[in-house]
Amino acid sequence: MGTILTGACQSGGQRSAGDENFSYSVEKFADLEILRYRVPGFEQLTLQQKKLVYFLSQAALEGRDIHFDQQGKHNLAIRRTLEAIYRSYAGDTAAADYKNLVVYLKRVWFASGIHHHYAADKFSPEFSPEYFTEVVKSLDPSFLPLQQGQTVDELLSVIVPVMFDPAVDAKRINQADGQDLITTSANNFYGNLTQKEAESFYGNLKKTATSTPISYGLNSRLVKKDGKIVEEVWKVGGLYSEAIEKIVYWLEKAVQVAETEGQQKVIEALVRFYQTGKLEVFDEYSILWVADASQVDFINGFIETYGDPLGFKGTWEAMVNFKNLEATKRTEIISSNAQWFEDNSPVDKRFKKEVVKGVSAKVITAAMLGGDCYPATPIGINLPNANWIRTLHGSKSVTIENITDAYDKAAQGNGFAQEFYRSQNEVELMRDYGFITGNMHTDLHECLGHASGKLMPSVGQGALKADGSAIEEARADLFGLYYIADAKMVELGLLPNDSAYKAEYIKFMTNGLLTQLVRIQPGSSLEEAHMRNRQLIARWTLEKGAPDGVVELRVQDGKTYVAINDYGKLRTLFGRLLAEIQRIRSEGDYAAAKNMVETYGVKVDAGLHNEILARYKTLNIAPYKGFVNPVYEVVADKSGEIADIKVTYSEGYAEQMLRYSKDHSWVNR
Ligand code: ZN
């Protein structure tokens, strides 16, 4: 549910890119690499669709400051102070301190604040508070974000400890059991109150809940004022009013060029939500949005709640996109054959659905990223989040193919494949088929895997407790692994030949047994559900196939590789495990789930882990990536009407961030 995060490591082959004049990589700093993505197909949209993309894109940029402010109440003052230095410092810009300050600013831009976008801990500046103070004091104070009556010293006394003292605001979100998760988290979702007070506030509201509950607390900051706990609602006339008014301004323009009446209603409902702040209206909007199948589509609002340790508050995000009609045929073929896949799976008949409906999924092209989707962005999205809406009205599942394509292209030639695949044979398989089989596996996972199978009548959704997500992800992955090798894939025209699938088998097994370990620290075990599921599948098949030598970990020249000796038998093993995992899920066999996850999915071989980390380090690959957006330029005719919209890709990272800070900055702090 929600967003599917991108993996931290890239496993692309080294396919020759056909775009000689387009550079996917923009720049690298700290643990980050900035990439560029293309928007193929934009030129082929109608003028009306281009206008729609353009207006929605502007709306996607106007909320940028909301996101910064949600993540920490000093983020904007810090960003603006750093930007003032970047724009106007007259001192030595070749000094190491200055260069480190620029890296710090680039990290603040990337993370929309002073905490790491993924790990959520505060990054420490590699320059001293004394240096920073001196530089700030050398600037013309009119460039600084001084509040009414505030002096430069007063500004510094607020932001210096927040930037430099490791004890202040150490974590954006703290999830450590036993601590007060509100007072120890630096995010700006709550003011002046404790976890207990926040929980009792929402607990009391929920007591009146119906079968169609609103998403309590999603669009507000919760604060204690004069001893009373109140919500400061994010809406026109409420908190963030100025930014939200700008968003509404562009949405109202978008209404005028909507593709259909249905889509017009979607955008109007969102405008009404921003104007009233009523969560019932947000649900109305979500229901309309799920039903809308226009080519141009968008997300704009307070959506994911991962940023709040209590899971109430929605972080502002935006993404504008349009359907990739060619690639969507692929997911439609899969969905329309859903019953065949269900009937022919190796699962026990009792656990199969008599009538299966594939989840409708589409492949999209991202045209603009904003808020929490920028610059780090998901590769897939499945919304809305409200469970009752998903049950009664369905959900939209999308794969963002121009983003996965950019990851793939940027990874070409980074040495990953040569380092971790055993021989030239594997490297070539990955190069020729890695991208299509990767997308195909994701499609099978999303469209069929999660939608297949059924629970026994007495079994509840939460029967597998904490191991439920790892088992559910394993089920969906195994469904994809089993079927990607089926002759049906070639018959349906989804894969070019009967050996292309091997690329996915090599990638999956290498990732599950070896390379995903680069994402965790030495000494840690696996925590995240997807990582557990991948290792579970890989370790189980390694063990069960050992007597026949199906798969092995082979050491060559002191380096460990995955060798798949019998692809056919590996497929049979995936089928056997799928049958067992489906049984566990259908019967709600918690003991078996726990045993399966703990035996195969959690523990890490320390020696192997160290070896993989050392090999990965030599490749000098940035573990996290993000994107600059393209630039859309309006071409006006003589009368000033929009005659065309042009897309260009030449803007740099700092250039884009500074422009956004100048043109789309609507939160006063
Ligand atoms: Zn999944």
Side-chain angles (χ1 to χ4, degrees), residues 138-155:
S138 77
L139 303 183
D140 177 342
S142 70
F143 294 142
L144 293 171
L146 298 170
Q147 296 297 307
Q148 186 104 46
Q150 195 181 33
T151 65
V152 176
D153 281 321
E154 283 163 358
L155 172 68

PDB file of all heavy atoms in Angstrom, residues 138-155:
ATOM      1  N   SER A 138      28.543  38.264   7.701  1.00  0.00           N
ATOM      2  CA  SER A 138      29.144  39.073   6.630  1.00  0.00           C
ATOM      3  C   SER A 138      28.134  39.456   5.548  1.00  0.00           C
ATOM      4  O   SER A 138      28.413  40.261   4.677  1.00  0.00           O
ATOM      5  CB  SER A 138      30.306  38.303   5.986  1.00  0.00           C
ATOM      6  OG  SER A 138      29.806  37.310   5.105  1.00  0.00           O
ATOM      7  N   LEU A 139      26.924  38.842   5.607  1.00  0.00           N
ATOM      8  CA  LEU A 139      25.941  39.095   4.547  1.00  0.00           C
ATOM      9  C   LEU A 139      25.134  40.358   4.813  1.00  0.00           C
ATOM     10  O   LEU A 139      25.012  40.810   5.947  1.00  0.00           O
ATOM     11  CB  LEU A 139      24.952  37.919   4.448  1.00  0.00           C
ATOM     12  CG  LEU A 139      25.490  36.514   4.201  1.00  0.00           C
ATOM     13  CD1 LEU A 139      24.319  35.545   4.078  1.00  0.00           C
ATOM     14  CD2 LEU A 139      26.362  36.451   2.961  1.00  0.00           C
ATOM     15  N   ASP A 140      24.575  40.901   3.759  1.00  0.00           N
ATOM     16  CA  ASP A 140      23.585  41.972   3.884  1.00  0.00           C
ATOM     17  C   ASP A 140      22.356  41.361   4.576  1.00  0.00           C
ATOM     18  O   ASP A 140      21.752  40.426   4.049  1.00  0.00           O
ATOM     19  CB  ASP A 140      23.246  42.454   2.467  1.00  0.00           C
ATOM     20  CG  ASP A 140      22.167  43.521   2.464  1.00  0.00           C
ATOM     21  OD1 ASP A 140      21.443  43.654   3.474  1.00  0.00           O
ATOM     22  OD2 ASP A 140      22.050  44.212   1.432  1.00  0.00           O
ATOM     23  N   PRO A 141      22.014  41.869   5.792  1.00  0.00           N
ATOM     24  CA  PRO A 141      20.916  41.235   6.563  1.00  0.00           C
ATOM     25  C   PRO A 141      19.601  41.169   5.791  1.00  0.00           C
ATOM     26  O   PRO A 141      18.756  40.326   6.094  1.00  0.00           O
ATOM     27  CB  PRO A 141      20.773  42.140   7.787  1.00  0.00           C
ATOM     28  CG  PRO A 141      22.038  42.913   7.863  1.00  0.00           C
ATOM     29  CD  PRO A 141      22.587  43.026   6.474  1.00  0.00           C
ATOM     30  N   SER A 142      19.428  42.014   4.784  1.00  0.00           N
ATOM     31  CA  SER A 142      18.151  41.996   4.065  1.00  0.00           C
ATOM     32  C   SER A 142      17.974  40.714   3.249  1.00  0.00           C
ATOM     33  O   SER A 142      16.883  40.397   2.802  1.00  0.00           O
ATOM     34  CB  SER A 142      18.028  43.224   3.160  1.00  0.00           C
ATOM     35  OG  SER A 142      18.928  43.104   2.083  1.00  0.00           O
ATOM     36  N   PHE A 143      19.083  39.957   3.050  1.00  0.00           N
ATOM     37  CA  PHE A 143      18.967  38.674   2.348  1.00  0.00           C
ATOM     38  C   PHE A 143      18.525  37.545   3.282  1.00  0.00           C
ATOM     39  O   PHE A 143      18.181  36.464   2.833  1.00  0.00           O
ATOM     40  CB  PHE A 143      20.312  38.279   1.717  1.00  0.00           C
ATOM     41  CG  PHE A 143      20.766  39.200   0.605  1.00  0.00           C
ATOM     42  CD1 PHE A 143      22.105  39.528   0.459  1.00  0.00           C
ATOM     43  CD2 PHE A 143      19.838  39.735  -0.300  1.00  0.00           C
ATOM     44  CE1 PHE A 143      22.527  40.377  -0.571  1.00  0.00           C
ATOM     45  CE2 PHE A 143      20.251  40.576  -1.332  1.00  0.00           C
ATOM     46  CZ  PHE A 143      21.595  40.897  -1.460  1.00  0.00           C
ATOM     47  N   LEU A 144      18.588  37.802   4.586  1.00  0.00           N
ATOM     48  CA  LEU A 144      18.331  36.717   5.549  1.00  0.00           C
ATOM     49  C   LEU A 144      16.844  36.602   5.896  1.00  0.00           C
ATOM     50  O   LEU A 144      16.112  37.587   5.834  1.00  0.00           O
ATOM     51  CB  LEU A 144      19.143  36.970   6.831  1.00  0.00           C
ATOM     52  CG  LEU A 144      20.661  36.857   6.658  1.00  0.00           C
ATOM     53  CD1 LEU A 144      21.378  37.346   7.911  1.00  0.00           C
ATOM     54  CD2 LEU A 144      21.074  35.418   6.335  1.00  0.00           C
ATOM     55  N   PRO A 145      16.409  35.396   6.274  1.00  0.00           N
ATOM     56  CA  PRO A 145      14.988  35.183   6.586  1.00  0.00           C
ATOM     57  C   PRO A 145      14.640  35.673   7.995  1.00  0.00           C
ATOM     58  O   PRO A 145      14.225  34.884   8.846  1.00  0.00           O
ATOM     59  CB  PRO A 145      14.850  33.656   6.475  1.00  0.00           C
ATOM     60  CG  PRO A 145      16.185  33.129   6.872  1.00  0.00           C
ATOM     61  CD  PRO A 145      17.191  34.139   6.392  1.00  0.00           C
ATOM     62  N   LEU A 146      14.818  36.960   8.237  1.00  0.00           N
ATOM     63  CA  LEU A 146      14.555  37.501   9.571  1.00  0.00           C
ATOM     64  C   LEU A 146      13.059  37.737   9.754  1.00  0.00           C
ATOM     65  O   LEU A 146      12.409  38.310   8.880  1.00  0.00           O
ATOM     66  CB  LEU A 146      15.315  38.813   9.762  1.00  0.00           C
ATOM     67  CG  LEU A 146      16.845  38.706   9.682  1.00  0.00           C
ATOM     68  CD1 LEU A 146      17.484  40.094   9.641  1.00  0.00           C
ATOM     69  CD2 LEU A 146      17.391  37.901  10.857  1.00  0.00           C
ATOM     70  N   GLN A 147      12.534  37.279  10.878  1.00  0.00           N
ATOM     71  CA  GLN A 147      11.138  37.563  11.198  1.00  0.00           C
ATOM     72  C   GLN A 147      11.050  39.019  11.659  1.00  0.00           C
ATOM     73  O   GLN A 147      12.051  39.643  11.996  1.00  0.00           O
ATOM     74  CB  GLN A 147      10.637  36.621  12.290  1.00  0.00           C
ATOM     75  CG  GLN A 147      10.610  35.159  11.882  1.00  0.00           C
ATOM     76  CD  GLN A 147       9.653  34.885  10.733  1.00  0.00           C
ATOM     77  OE1 GLN A 147       8.484  35.252  10.791  1.00  0.00           O
ATOM     78  NE2 GLN A 147      10.131  34.256   9.667  1.00  0.00           N
ATOM     79  N   GLN A 148       9.834  39.540  11.683  1.00  0.00           N
ATOM     80  CA  GLN A 148       9.598  40.919  12.128  1.00  0.00           C
ATOM     81  C   GLN A 148      10.339  41.213  13.433  1.00  0.00           C
ATOM     82  O   GLN A 148      10.128  40.537  14.435  1.00  0.00           O
ATOM     83  CB  GLN A 148       8.098  41.100  12.361  1.00  0.00           C
ATOM     84  CG  GLN A 148       7.695  42.509  12.694  1.00  0.00           C
ATOM     85  CD  GLN A 148       7.043  43.176  11.490  1.00  0.00           C
ATOM     86  OE1 GLN A 148       6.184  42.591  10.829  1.00  0.00           O
ATOM     87  NE2 GLN A 148       7.458  44.392  11.192  1.00  0.00           N
ATOM     88  N   GLY A 149      11.235  42.199  13.391  1.00  0.00           N
ATOM     89  CA  GLY A 149      11.930  42.615  14.608  1.00  0.00           C
ATOM     90  C   GLY A 149      13.079  41.724  15.035  1.00  0.00           C
ATOM     91  O   GLY A 149      13.747  41.998  16.021  1.00  0.00           O
ATOM     92  N   GLN A 150      13.320  40.623  14.292  1.00  0.00           N
ATOM     93  CA  GLN A 150      14.370  39.686  14.672  1.00  0.00           C
ATOM     94  C   GLN A 150      15.738  40.211  14.226  1.00  0.00           C
ATOM     95  O   GLN A 150      15.871  40.752  13.123  1.00  0.00           O
ATOM     96  CB  GLN A 150      14.105  38.322  14.006  1.00  0.00           C
ATOM     97  CG  GLN A 150      14.918  37.172  14.596  1.00  0.00           C
ATOM     98  CD  GLN A 150      14.626  35.844  13.872  1.00  0.00           C
ATOM     99  OE1 GLN A 150      14.357  35.821  12.671  1.00  0.00           O
ATOM    100  NE2 GLN A 150      14.672  34.751  14.620  1.00  0.00           N
ATOM    101  N   THR A 151      16.761  40.068  15.085  1.00  0.00           N
ATOM    102  CA  THR A 151      18.114  40.463  14.695  1.00  0.00           C
ATOM    103  C   THR A 151      18.846  39.248  14.136  1.00  0.00           C
ATOM    104  O   THR A 151      18.394  38.108  14.303  1.00  0.00           O
ATOM    105  CB  THR A 151      18.908  40.982  15.907  1.00  0.00           C
ATOM    106  OG1 THR A 151      19.076  39.885  16.831  1.00  0.00           O
ATOM    107  CG2 THR A 151      18.195  42.131  16.601  1.00  0.00           C
ATOM    108  N   VAL A 152      20.000  39.506  13.508  1.00  0.00           N
ATOM    109  CA  VAL A 152      20.795  38.397  12.972  1.00  0.00           C
ATOM    110  C   VAL A 152      21.243  37.476  14.106  1.00  0.00           C
ATOM    111  O   VAL A 152      21.201  36.253  13.983  1.00  0.00           O
ATOM    112  CB  VAL A 152      22.016  38.951  12.187  1.00  0.00           C
ATOM    113  CG1 VAL A 152      22.905  37.799  11.717  1.00  0.00           C
ATOM    114  CG2 VAL A 152      21.553  39.793  11.001  1.00  0.00           C
ATOM    115  N   ASP A 153      21.649  38.073  15.241  1.00  0.00           N
ATOM    116  CA  ASP A 153      22.061  37.258  16.389  1.00  0.00           C
ATOM    117  C   ASP A 153      20.924  36.370  16.887  1.00  0.00           C
ATOM    118  O   ASP A 153      21.136  35.212  17.251  1.00  0.00           O
ATOM    119  CB  ASP A 153      22.555  38.159  17.533  1.00  0.00           C
ATOM    120  CG  ASP A 153      23.990  38.631  17.277  1.00  0.00           C
ATOM    121  OD1 ASP A 153      24.781  37.810  16.768  1.00  0.00           O
ATOM    122  OD2 ASP A 153      24.294  39.816  17.567  1.00  0.00           O
ATOM    123  N   GLU A 154      19.725  36.942  16.896  1.00  0.00           N
ATOM    124  CA  GLU A 154      18.578  36.137  17.348  1.00  0.00           C
ATOM    125  C   GLU A 154      18.306  34.971  16.392  1.00  0.00           C
ATOM    126  O   GLU A 154      18.026  33.848  16.828  1.00  0.00           O
ATOM    127  CB  GLU A 154      17.328  37.018  17.479  1.00  0.00           C
ATOM    128  CG  GLU A 154      17.350  37.885  18.741  1.00  0.00           C
ATOM    129  CD  GLU A 154      16.365  39.052  18.698  1.00  0.00           C
ATOM    130  OE1 GLU A 154      15.674  39.228  17.666  1.00  0.00           O
ATOM    131  OE2 GLU A 154      16.309  39.789  19.690  1.00  0.00           O
ATOM    132  N   LEU A 155      18.393  35.234  15.087  1.00  0.00           N
ATOM    133  CA  LEU A 155      18.215  34.154  14.107  1.00  0.00           C
ATOM    134  C   LEU A 155      19.247  33.055  14.351  1.00  0.00           C
ATOM    135  O   LEU A 155      18.914  31.864  14.424  1.00  0.00           O
ATOM    136  CB  LEU A 155      18.356  34.699  12.677  1.00  0.00           C
ATOM    137  CG  LEU A 155      18.394  33.644  11.559  1.00  0.00           C
ATOM    138  CD1 LEU A 155      17.049  32.941  11.408  1.00  0.00           C
ATOM    139  CD2 LEU A 155      18.802  34.263  10.222  1.00  0.00           C
TER     140      LEU A 155
END
